Amino acid sequence: MDVNPIDSLDARLLLLLTDEPRLGVLECSRRLGVARGTVQARLDRLVRTGVLAGFPPELSLEAMGYGLTAFAVVEIAQGYRGPVTEGLASIDEVCEVHATTGQGDLLVRMVAQSNEDLQRVIDEVVNVKGVQRMSTSIALSTPIPLRSRPLLERVAKAGP
């Protein structure tokens, strides 16, 4: 795998689309000072290589009524990662699951509408066949949300 899968122009293009995701290829080319075909070719390559995973809208789960975020460390029975992952994927409030090293096997991010609703979600998770133990922490705030901007800015500053 390439150590630097993006260059300065790629990073500047991604920063532009991060700030204004509804910009078209022509406007991106105008702002970056490159040909429209260059921008399109870069976007196509970034999508093909998986660097650019898509253009989904950024949603506020809190504004949608899911103001409570919790993280759970889940320990699973040996050989059950696949079935447990499938079971967790069937729970709408489970937003993200990472296989981890350390104390637990999976790190699960989930949302709920209230403490009572979180208890319901936790009960669903614990009832997934293969889940042996679970430890949950409620997020009180998010001082640093998921971000990629600092990494893109580093590459953009590096120049061609």
Side-chain angles (χ1 to χ4, degrees):
M1 182 177 179
D2 191 358
V3 173
N4 294 315
I6 65 172
D7 64 14
S8 177
L9 179 58
D10 293 331
R12 290 182 7 234
L13 173 59
L14 291 169
L15 282 167
L16 186 60
L17 290 171
T18 297
D19 292 340
E20 299 180 64
R22 296 177 67 173
L23 286 181
V25 172
L26 186 60
E27 182 60 18
C28 287
S29 70
R30 187 187 70 71
R31 292 192 191 184
L32 294 170
V34 297
R36 181 189 186 286
T38 300
V39 169
Q40 188 63 60
R42 295 293 182 118
L43 286 172
D44 291 345
R45 182 179 50 77
L46 290 167
V47 169
R48 187 178 63 254
T49 59
V51 171
L52 181 58
F55 294 93
E58 186 177 337
L59 302 176
S60 167
L61 294 176
E62 186 174 359
M64 293 173 53
Y66 294 92
L68 196 149
T69 298
F71 294 90
V73 174
V74 177
E75 294 178 32
I76 60 175
Q78 200 165 16
Y80 273 84
R81 189 174 69 178
V84 168
T85 302
E86 287 176 27
L88 294 174
S90 71
I91 301 170
D92 296 340
E93 293 83 1
V94 170
C95 300
E96 191 173 20
V97 177
H98 298 270
T100 60
T101 61
Q103 186 71 20
D105 301 302
L106 301 173
L107 178 64
V108 179
R109 180 169 66 105
M110 56 190 140
V111 294
Q113 296 178 335
S114 65
N115 287 341
E116 295 78 23
D117 191 40
L118 178 60
Q119 183 61 61
R120 178 191 57 78
V121 175
I122 289 170
D123 290 344
E124 284 189 48
V125 170
V126 208
N127 286 327
V128 170
K129 184 174 181 172
V131 170
Q132 290 184 320
R133 184 170 293 126
M134 179 172 145
S135 172
T136 307
S137 297
I138 295 175
L140 300 176
S141 67
T142 307
I144 302 174
L146 179 64
R147 64 193 183 130
S148 56
R149 178 174 215 85
L151 299 172
L152 291 172
E153 287 173 346
R154 180 190 309 159
V155 175
K157 288 178 188 173

